[in-house]
Structure formats: structure tokens, C-alpha cells
Amino acid sequence: MFKNNLNTTKGFDLFEDQYIAEQSITTGSNYMFGNGYMGYRGTHPDDTKEDYVATIVTDTYDKADGKWRELCNAPNGLYTSIRANGQKVSPSQVDIQNYKRSIELDHAILVNEFANDVIAVEVERFASMDQLHGLVMSYKVSALEDGQIEIVTGIDGDVWSINGDHYSKTEFFAEKGCLYGHARTKEFDIELNVSERMSFVGGADYEETLIKSEDRIMRHLSFQMKKGMIVEVHKYVTIYSSNDVDQPIKACDELGSQLLAQGYDQVKERHCNAWNRLWQHYDIKIDGSLRDQTLTRFNLYHNIIHTPTHALLPVGARGLSCQAYQGAAFWDQEIFNMPMYLYTNPEVAKNILMYRYQTIDGARTKAKKLGYRGAFYAWISGKSGEELCPDFFFKDIITGRKIRNHFNDWQIHVSSDIAYTIWRYYEVTDDKEFLLGYGAEMMLDIALFLMTRSFYNVDKRRYEFIRLLGPDEYHENVDNNVFTNYQARYTLQKTMMVCEELLQTNPDKLEALLNKLEITKDNLETFKDIIEKIYIKEANEDKVIEQFDHYFDLEDIMPHDLAERLIDKAEYWGWPNGIAVHTQVLKQADLIQLFVMHDDFDDATLKANYDYYEPRTEHGSSLSPAMHAIIASKIGYKDQAYEYFTKSCTVDLYNANKPISGGTFIGGIHTASCGAVWQMMIFGFAGFSVYDNVLHFRPTVPEAWDGYHCHLHHHHNYVDVHITKTSMEVTSKVDNNETLQIEVGGQRYNLDPGKSIMIHLNQVEMV
Amino acid sequence: MFKNNLNTTKGFDLFEDQYIAEQSITTGSNYMFGNGYMGYRGTHPDDTKEDYVATIVTDTYDKADGKWRELCNAPNGLYTSIRANGQKVSPSQVDIQNYKRSIELDHAILVNEFANDVIAVEVERFASMDQLHGLVMSYKVSALEDGQIEIVTGIDGDVWSINGDHYSKTEFFAEKGCLYGHARTKEFDIELNVSERMSFVGGADYEETLIKSEDRIMRHLSFQMKKGMIVEVHKYVTIYSSNDVDQPIKACDELGSQLLAQGYDQVKERHCNAWNRLWQHYDIKIDGSLRDQTLTRFNLYHNIIHTPTHALLPVGARGLSCQAYQGAAFWDQEIFNMPMYLYTNPEVAKNILMYRYQTIDGARTKAKKLGYRGAFYAWISGKSGEELCPDFFFKDIITGRKIRNHFNDWQIHVSSDIAYTIWRYYEVTDDKEFLLGYGAEMMLDIALFLMTRSFYNVDKRRYEFIRLLGPDEYHENVDNNVFTNYQARYTLQKTMMVCEELLQTNPDKLEALLNKLEITKDNLETFKDIIEKIYIKEANEDKVIEQFDHYFDLEDIMPHDLAERLIDKAEYWGWPNGIAVHTQVLKQADLIQLFVMHDDFDDATLKANYDYYEPRTEHGSSLSPAMHAIIASKIGYKDQAYEYFTKSCTVDLYNANKPISGGTFIGGIHTASCGAVWQMMIFGFAGFSVYDNVLHFRPTVPEAWDGYHCHLHHHHNYVDVHITKTSMEVTSKVDNNETLQIEVGGQRYNLDPGKSIMIHLNQVEMV
């Protein structure tokens, strides 16, 4: 149906009817399923290590190579291969018949279909959204002719790992009809257990023998089928680690028995129901373009499956799609992944922020190590919150020499971004308990860090931040980066508001907090002084804001021309001596990003800066296109908005990014980009933003569509929104408890619980 | 006599008796002569462009290639070749007889000797120290057999230039028996004139015809010689540019006629007398080692000939030995070249400082351009004082990509070094007129610059300098470099002392100065605040001072092991990604440099830091060995001191540095290293320093010597010093006007004019 061997039937699924082996790294990510606890790559049932099979399990951080700590890939409990009359029947075979691989986005079920002259196979696999430790498969064989069938299914422990073998010890054994894979990790001695139970459904008698080797245990099932006969093998795999529970084997057995007892249909039904509930929050329905509908849902889907909600764990930059980027969180988590949750299902947003609270000691350790006070959150944050980014991140591929990038010490906006998000969370949820109970401590400690990282310029009588790396990572070592300084001021402002609130409502708590964090009254005065005197660069006469000091003095060249200077196409464009460093070419535009996050700038400023920076932006980050789509939409650049929308939606689907760079695997799903798709729809096309307790909309609809539907909430009042080219309808759920204020086109409307408001082009109609 | 084809007869000359063509770049520099107005490379009389002949003339800065502004190489007025019986007789010929090239260091006379079977030739050339625009030659031919002799001599305009052809127009012509070369430069249209007059001395009748082409004019002299006969051709060349005088041709003629009238012997005598007067200030006589005597005088000689004293012009990093480094001044000028003048002939030191005063507007322009106030002196300073260092100084020889070095914007100590020198000049000369009339303005403007370049760390309650490049140029982008911060504090301290003095003696002048420089009373308070609160890193428990923030965290590897990481032997070790950047390996040791310049550190500190830094120093700068010799001598490391002394003396003589690097010509004489040789002798071996108006000595004598003699002054009281292994004698000149205080071995002595003091080992004897 559309590009790259991609098809859909209903806009809530994605399928291919041809297998392209060379794309298996990316398709394995695209077709994957998961449930926030584990991610299972969308491979074929009989795929192995070489085909990038993976069951990535949260909270199994371990360092195997002495350098990179990453999540473990559990033994594959769903491995299944089949032979008919002695002939292998595999979906990977070039002459396979009726090949189809499909991911049902609505219920996160991976379906594989394939056949030869004797049998047709249909496989369903999913990770239960109802029972997060359950991994389930239905393997259905239909006989097209009479035949002798052999199935090998069990647990394959020979797994793919990008940075060394994580297991110091593995054991595979059978007991009471169940199979077990038991592994212990090298660094932390985490126990990771996989159990498998099977039921064989259908008329055939089968003979089972066990095949056991050092790194696998398999059932060999052998049976006769008559033409027209159908059998199903149901597998109930359970996974627990010693970080999840004290007795992981016991937990595996308990859940395994439970699932086996429920049976496949019931397990699947409960799983689907759980997904149905999720989509009530997250779904965005698009009318008029099945392609764009699919693209959008594909991204929302991935944002969901990659976000842990069962524990306080980071949202990985590549989620659970592989081990790349250490399964760790970047600022992406708050700024890209989180808005979808914040505005539709705030409990998940809170969970994300509680992860930051739980890991604040890591941020304190980092600050101290670098000579600062307070909390300096990591650029790469894993379980403990300590900085996981090594000093030498990239290699110069021309010289082979390591490069000292300063992601880990100069990219200070990460901390402010967390404070910003805490405040946004509070604005949207009114969750004062969280704000004062947890947010205040984080904000104060971030503010303290910012104070110790700032400098006062006595001559210019202003505070400055020196030696920065903003979101535009091609320009390290810059001063007074507007994004960074703006976010710092915002952090300090909101922190002082929180202090004020505490002073009024709970002065003892404030006192205790300040004591704990060793923040003096003098320090608070300095916070205020910084708010007043921090240097935020102003727009020039053309309304363009210089991204950082002396940016305009850099060579002005466009990305396309600049690219001609590359010696090797794969070389890094940035610090210390990449081709972009001394030019105005950006990786992503800081100002555009800032405009998405703050409503403080008028349209003329947005337009002037978009016009200036957009042509100079190389979009070397997958985060970049979505932000451009949002601002393009706001300033009426509808075509560009739609182009960037498409580009952003297909970052993974169209393989826009290389899975391996400089010898490092960086493939997998760009989860931040997935989260950004929701933002493009809501902040961009719908023009939604909340300020002064009012829900603002500036709705637009791309030419290609008729309209779209989405769900939002404010202070736990849930609304459905339907936007078309001529109207916008907002419906407030009947069990809401507040009258919502909505503003469209400069007009303010009150919306009571249970009511709808229909807004025509500049015309209002109460339904 | 010693290494590298080098010989001496009397320790005041240097000669070679074999010509090695491949070394012509360096030998041309080593054997050069000059007089501060011009430098003439020590080539053969018939050498041309290909042999790196050059007559570098001061104050002819011009940019030919659009990138590098440099001094011009004037047409060669001394070109002379000879034939005997139709056969060329050239010193460059492999079969030439009695070859000798000699530079008489006492009188700066280049002597070439060579012969074949028919004739013997002896050539003397010099640039008159008495008449700075005169360039003189005696070309003496002795007939060994009868022969027909042809000499071609005149002006050769086809000159070597390292960065493009500087002349937009050249003319060569003869008038009234004189030859003329007339050139106009491309950028500034400077008129550069060379005139030549000749006299032919000796019995022979000669026939003269003129040979003229586009870029040369020559006399063809033809005559018969009988065996035993001697003729001499005397040439009187004069050089003037339109930057020297309004009518350069007229000036050339006037001086030319005058020299011709005086005749060779008188011209030479006056020249030699002028040199004799200079050596009364500068000479250091060494007893017991003819080699070290020659090495020392070689360096003193070069420091003299490369220092312009006739006008306010910079001392070039390569002096007048070639066009490299733009004939411009670095901090080397004050810190390396100048001490010899300051302590022996202070008028020259004053001239150097007046050059900085004259060019202060260039420093102001630079400060302003970078967003600061006050005077930020250039890293490379030419005639105007504006920054000549381009942003992209080196090329990465592996990738061919240009490198953004930050010599021009982060190496701020240059300005403080000038202020430091102003104060030192005042201490040694008591020249209050200069201090208050010129020094005060420079110091205040430098202090202002420093204030605007500093930051106040509110948390740590201290001022810091961020993003620096110290003398150790392998580590750019560092904070609180001790050398930089120490020099800044010194500058501010002395500036405030000058202000205090002005306030007492001439408050109106102070008021006027502050108004002119727009320095407020508040600013002065900030100066004081910085003096009090500037962050100067303290020694650790081992008495080692960390060179800059986090230096000790860098990889600790020794230079020899580090060198193994080189991909190309010629690659730059420093910023942005050279092999030394992330290690503790230094180009030159900042702390060692600081100890040479300040007497504030005890011996234990000197020793601890020498022990720490010396093994980690790669000496990638020719400035480095001498500073190590001085500190090694102070702490009693006699062998190391002597090794570093030898190394430093022979930077040029032993070709220790490559003349071409990364395609750029950087050959020529390392004038700073020449100046440093004087410092090694006086600050190092003699242990001389002046503080609290007392002349302190800590004399030592290298094992290989018997002793040495030198000349010093304090407040214009001149003394002769003679140090042996057992005694030290100081003689105060009879026309001195003060009783000098001298301290040796903790004992203080008074020395009246006309008296001597003889100090034995711990024993005093008045003579």
C-alpha cells in the first residue's frame, strides 16, 4: 500500500507480504511487540541470534564488556521451527508461500503467516498487557495435504548481545513438563529466569522428546496430520528477574500455571481488553488518510510499549527494541515521550517523574564530581541516575581516534528540562501533593546546581552560562545558549514559586528541605538575582534570536553544500572538528524547540526564526523534524508542516537512520520521535496548549485529511476532541468535576461536564 | 670543532669549512647578519631565490596572498658571481677549494671564502650598525694564476617570498653609475628602494657593461689578472622604504654617496665600533669552554640583530631571518627577548614597551571585537597591534581540514605579561616618567580587559578565568590556569599601585586617564575585589600546583609513550584532538615559567613542581628548555640545568626544529630562545633577581666551565660581574650614582660607585 513494503488493512495494523532479509534489523524493531516490562522483536518464530531476535527485559542493567552497561536479552522462550514431511518450512525461505508478517497495533499482537504445499502456519505472539511477565504464543498449523509434522519449540539461550555476553552462567532444564532457562549476569549477578509451558490443541496424537544442549532446551513434537486438519501449539512463557521479585523461579511457575490454566483465548482476551483501555487515552483517529492513520498509530503504539509503567525505570532512547543506548533515558524522556502521557494519562507521567526523584542521588553524585552542588541529571540515565555517558562517546572514523564529546558535562539543560516538566505536570494535573512532596526537592536541587554552574559577569552585570551544549549538538562549548538560559530561568522562577507556596502552607517542610539540601537564605536570594539578571539573548531587528553568543559570526553555509566537505559519509558532523562546528548548520534548532515548549513568543518571532533556522538545520537528530512540523503548523506553513509530519512519523518505518554508525549499533526504535508524533498532532495541528488554566486550541487540518479525533485531560477532566476543516467539537466526559475553559480563535468558552461544544469557523454552537 | 659542521676560532665567531646544500634553510639563518633594521641571510654571494637569499626589511608589512601579512624581502643588492677564464667559481660547487663560511659574531660580518686553481675569493658583508640603511660588501679576488676574470654584480629582484609575490610593480635601472631597484607592494603600495654604488680597487683596468632584465640589473665587470694580483670590489647598497622616509630614493642616494665617500675601511670601522659599544652591555664571557662561549654569544648576537631599536616595531618571533610568523611579536618579546635589554641596556627595553603603547589601539579593537573592554593585546602583533593570528592557524595533516586554534582569543595572559613587564621595567629602571606617562594607561586598560574577561562564581565567592590557553598550548579551553590567573592578579595589584601613586602625585592625570578609558570608580573597586578573591590554585599536599582545573584528572602518560599514538609524525599534538589534549603531557610547563618570572615560591615548591612537570613536558616549544634550565639550576639539578642550557642554545644551530610544518614555512631563528639564553646565564646560573631594590645572586658554575663574566645594571648603575667556582666579584662603574645593595647567600653587601666586592664561598673581601 505505501512505501517500503508496508501495508495496512484498517489503519490499526501494519503488514508486509514479502520478506526482505537485509532489512531485518529495522523490520525486527518495527514489528516488535511489548508491554513496558519487556520488548520482543518482531522476528520470525524460527529466527535466531543472527536475525536479531531479542527479548529485552527492563531492570536487567549489566555491564559485560567493562564499558557499556545495558539491558539483557533474555533467552528466547518462543523459539519454534517446523518441518513437514522432513522439509523445513520457514517464513524466511525465499520460496515460501502466503508470506505475511503483521503487527496489530491495536493489541500489540505479532502475526506470522507462511505455507508450503503441505501446511499453512499462522502464529500469534504477544506480551500480555494484563500480566506483564507473560509472553504468549499460538502456533497454528493447517494441513493442506496429509503430512508428517515435526515442531521444535522451547527456549533458545544463544542470544544476540551488542556489547558482550552478559551471562556468567546459564542452565537449561525441564521439570514436570515445563522448560526452564536460568541465567546469571556477569556484573551484578542478576538472576533471570524464563519458564515455558505448552499445550497442544487439536486432534493429533503427538510424540514429544526433549533436546537439550548447553545453551538451549527444546521440545521435539512429532505428529501426523490429515489434509484439512488443524492443530495449535500454545506456549506460555514467563519471565522474572531477581530485580523483580525475591524468588523469580517461583514467580515464573505461579504465573505460568495461571496462564496455562486460563488458556490461550482468555489470556488473549484479557490482554486485548487492557490494550483497549489504553487506547481510550492515547488513540488519535484520523479521517481521510489510511496511510497517515497507520503512521500515527505506529508511533503512539511504540511510545506505549516502550514506556515502563510497572516500576520507576527510564524510558529508553531505543526503548526495549534492542540494547542500544543502554536502555537509558535522555532528556527525550521528559520532553518527547512524556507529553502524550501528561495530557492523556497523567499517572504514567507521574511515574516518569518519580523515576527522576528516585534517581536524584545519581544526579547529586554527578554534580559533586564535576565541582558543583545540587542535582545535575545525567545525559544518559539508567537505574541509579548516575551518568552513564562515557567521556569518549564517538570515534573519529577517519583517524580512528576517540573523541571527547561533552554530552555528559556541558549539556546542562537536561536538569532544567526535568524541572520544567515537573512544573508542567503540576499545571496540568494540579497534583500539589507530588509538587510539594517530590517536585520541590528536585526543583530546589536543580536550581542549586544551576546557581553553582552560573557565573556573574561583573562588567555586564548579568549572569551567564558558559561552555554549553544545547539541543543542537553540533555546537559544543558555546555560551549563553538561549535554550539553556531560558530553561534555567524558568526553573529558577518556578522553584521560587514552589518555595513561596511552601512558605505559606508548610514552612517547616521548606525549612527541612533547605536544610537537607544545604541551601541557605543567601542562596535563595541569589536564585532571585539570577532570575532578574540572567542573560537571555534578545531578537535582532529581524526578530531572529541568535542561538548562542557569536553564532551569527559563524560561516553561513547550507547543509547541502556543507555535506560536500565530508571526507567519509559516516563521519560525525560535530565536535571537535566535524564539518558543522564552525558553521551555522544545526543538528536541530534550539529556538524551534524552545518555541514548542513555551508560549511566550509571538507568531512573527516564530516565523522569523523558522525562516532563518530551518534552512540551516540538517536534522541530524530524529527529534528535529517533529518540532519543525509543530512550529510550521503554528505559523501557517501547512505544506512544510505536513512534510515534516510525514518525515517524523517514518523515522523508523522508512529506515531514515542508519542502524550502525562508527561500528556502534544505534538501531532500534527512536522512542522520542514516537512521542513527538503525538505532539505534532496535538501541539502542532490542533494547536493545543494550556496556560492560565485555559485550554487553548489553534486547530488546523492537513489538506490530505478530513479531520481527526483525540483525547485530552486537564486537572483530571477528560475531553474528546474532534477537529475537521470547518469545525471543532469538544466533549467533556460526564464524570468530570470542573467547568473547563477553552479558548479558540481569541474566544473563550466554558464547557461543563457531560457537555459538548461545537465551534464552527469563527462561530460557536452549543450542542 | 663541535657538532653539525660547526667551528669557532675564538669563541666570537662561527664557521663551516664544508657546504651542505640540504641544510641551506637553517644555515642561511644561522650565518645571517643584520642590524635591527634589516636582516640579511647568511648565504653565498651568488645565491638566488632557490637558496633562500633574503634581505628582510622592517616596517614593510604587506599581504600578498590575502591571508598572511608579512615583511617584504627586498631585491638583493649584493648579488655577485664570478668567472675565471670562462669557468664559474662558486662557493656552492662541490669541488670548490678552501671553502669557508664564517659569521663574525663580535661585528656581525659574514665572510665567504672559496677558490679554484686560478683565483681565491674572500667576501665580507655586513649591514652597518652605524648607518642602519647601509648594506656593504667587500669582494676580494686574489689571482693564483694569470686569468681573465668576469664578475657579475648588481641587484637581483627575483626574490624568495613565502606567502605570495609582494610587488605589484618593480623597476630596475641605472643612473649616473648607480644601480636602482624600485618596488611597490601590493597591499599598501609601500615604495621600497634599493640603490647600489660600486668602487673597484686594485691595479686592474676593467670593462663594465650593464645587463638589465625585467627583474634585475647587473654590472658585468671584465678584467685581466696576473698571478699575485689582488682586486677588491666594494659595494655600498642602501635601502629605504616610504615607511622610513618621505623620499626614499633621495635618502638612498644621500646615504649611498656618503658611504662611497667614506670608503670601505672607514665604513667598516664605524660599524665595528658600534658593535663594540653594544657588546659592552650584552656580552657574557665564559672561561673554560670555547664551545659554550660560542653557543652563548651566537644567541646573544641573534637577539641583538633581530631587535629593532630605530623605531617602534615588534621583535619578530623569527626576527628578520625570514618572513615566517609575519615578522610579528608574540608574548615572547616581553618575556623572552626583553630581559637581556632590561637588565643591561634599558633604553631598548623602553623602546619595546613604547611599541606596545603605540599599538594599544589594536589591542582595544581586539577586545571590543570579542565583546570585552580595555586592551586585549594580540597573540600575533604587527605594526598596528591588531590581531594578526587567523582563526584557522593550523591544518590537520591527516584530514587536511583546517583547525580552529584559539591562540587569538583564549590566550589572554599576553596582556598581563605586558603589564608585568611594564612593572618590571619600572622596578629596574626607576623610570617613573614612563610608568606614569605610558605604563599607567596600558596597565589600566589591561586591567579593565581582565575585569571584563573574568567571572564571579557566586557560589564559591571567587573570581575565575574560564576558557583559557596558557603557555602550555597543548591544553586549550581550560579554567583557572595558574599562570594566567597569577599574572592577572599581579597586573591588577600593580595597576592599583600605579593608581595610588598617581592619586598622590597627579590626581588630575589619574582622573583624565580614567575618563579616557571609561573606567569608573566602581570598576576600580572591582579591581580590588578581584585581587582579593581571584582563584589561584594552591599546592597540594606534595607541594605540586595543579596547572589548571582538573589537570590531575587527565590521563597520566609520559611524552615518549604518548608519541606512539601519532598517526603522522608531523601532526599537531594539541587542540582540538591531538594526542596530548586529554593527557597530562605539556608543550611547556606553565608552573616552571611562572617560577622564572616570580620569586614568590620557595625551593621546595620549585623542586616538587619541577619533579612533577618536567617528565611530563614534551618541549614542543623552543621556549621550554631554557625555563627548565633556570629552575633546574635554582634547585641544584646541575646536570639537568647544563643539559637544558645546551639544548636551548642549539635550538637553531642543531636544527632541533623543522623549518617546514604542515606545508607552512616556520623556519628561521627562534629569537625568543636566543633571548632566553641570556636568562639562563643570568637568572639561572648566576641566580640573579631584583626585589625590594636589592640585587640577589645565587651563583653557580657548570662543571665544564671555570667561570663567566657579565654586565648588569640597576637604576642605571652599571656593574660587571665575574663568577667563578669559588668566588664572585662585582664591580660598580665609577660613574654610577648610587650605593647598590647586593645579597648573596643570605648576606647583604653595600657597593659604592667605583668599588668592587669579592665574595668568596661564604666569605667577603672588599678590594
Side-chain angles (χ1 to χ4, degrees), chain A residues 371 373 399 401 404 410 451-452 455-456 459-460 466-467 477 479 565 567 571 575 579 582, chain B residues 371 373 399 401 404 410 451-452 455-456 459-460 466-467 477 479 565 567 571 575 577 579 582:
Chain A
R373 295 164 65 205
T399 62
R401 203 164 274 164
R404 173 66 170 103
W410 297 349
M451 183 195 88
T452 63
F455 284 107
Y456 185 64
D459 187 45
K460 293 179 175 146
I466 301 300
R467 199 180 279 134
N477 199 26
D479 296 345
R565 296 185 191 165
I567 294 165
E571 64 175 298
W575 182 269
I579 55 169
H582 304 294
Chain B
R373 295 163 65 206
T399 63
R401 202 165 274 164
R404 174 66 170 105
W410 298 348
M451 183 195 88
T452 64
F455 284 107
Y456 185 64
D459 187 46
K460 294 180 176 147
I466 301 300
R467 199 181 278 132
N477 200 26
D479 296 346
R565 297 185 191 165
I567 294 164
E571 64 174 299
W575 182 269
N577 212 26
I579 54 167
H582 304 294

